[in-house]
Amino acid sequence: MKRWKRRLTAWLLVLLLALGLGPQEGRAVLSEVYFTAVNEQLLDLNSETMPFLYGGVWYVSSRLFEGTDLGVNYARIYNANQAMLYNAKIDLRFDLDTQTTTDRNGKSYNGYAIERGGVIFFPLPLVCSRFGLRWSKTETETVPLIRVTSSSAVLTDREFVDAASQMRARYNEYERSVTAAEENTGGPPQTEDPPLAAEGQKVYLIIDSQSPEETLELLGRLGDHQATFLLTAEELEQADLVRALVAGGHGLALQTRGETEAEMEEEIVRARELVWQAACAWLELVWCGDGAEELLSQLGCVRVTAQISASGDLDRAGQAAALMRAVSRYREDVSLSLGGDGSGLGGLGALLEDLDAGGYRLSAWRLTA
């Protein structure tokens, strides 16, 4: 088809979109809402298509590559927990477990895919660079538009925005759905997606269990995740428990009971002997109140502290969600303390899943942190 015919066809398609509602003056628009378009196709406005900015990089939904004319195909490989973008000549393979990206030749690329609400989102600059696409961000009368185009695109970004007044109709519909959700819940709609971590953000998980038996049970729930356990000198006498924690890469912190510096020093010396005899590891972490910094420094110890503390059962309504919101307010590494009141740590598995889904890296307390 000649270019002028393609251009005329595109204009006719877009003019069909112009039957939507006209602009309504004086109304505020919702923040962090974006349209998405592929060539001359405006996608639906919802959480499955909406792009987002993460770590300074725009991410776009896999929906952009399903039933559109970009010339890039999308596939999800569930048994390997991978996603792929490809055409006849090139591809990108995204490993969701390791957060790595390679191609069919094994070459690695900077950037990785993110899963939110069961939908895969891809780093837009990497995808465009690899497949020869173009992307742009354009202001509209409502919310910004992220548009991805291939060589088959006809309209310029401004021509597309000026012609597609369907944007107002779709935005109004989206706004009504948000308003209805707020009225039904008494506040902004809560997404099921956990808050996303800042790039490389770590969570230092500190667990205060109530017995050696509970500690061993929690080790099973943690799986491959690592944490720091608060143990008394008496609990450190359980050599098998100490060896299990050290072998799993977990941190050990003495939960001192001493009220004076002399009592604390005696506890630390005793605890060090127990840990060394059990696992040939050197105890350096101590959980105690304020005022002991000078003593700890003299003994070569570090005081473990928690920026966020939560006691009680994590299965309690809203508890895990509240913890995730608290963690997300920190845009840097953060320490989170759980347990300590004898009620157990039910719901730990769900919390770990949310932290994983949000891209947080769980770690034992590190002296170099």
Side-chain angles (χ1 to χ4, degrees), residues 122-141:
F122 299 104
L124 182 54
L126 171 60
V127 172
C128 288
S129 173
R130 179 65 173 154
F131 291 98
L133 304 175
R134 173 184 173 273
W135 74 277
S136 61
K137 179 174 178 287
T138 307
E139 297 298 324
T140 76
E141 66 177 16

Side-chain angles (χ1 to χ4, degrees), residues 103-114:
D103 61 20
R104 67 185 67 179
N105 298 316
K107 180 181 177 181
S108 297
Y109 296 84
N110 291 327
Y112 52 88
I114 294 174

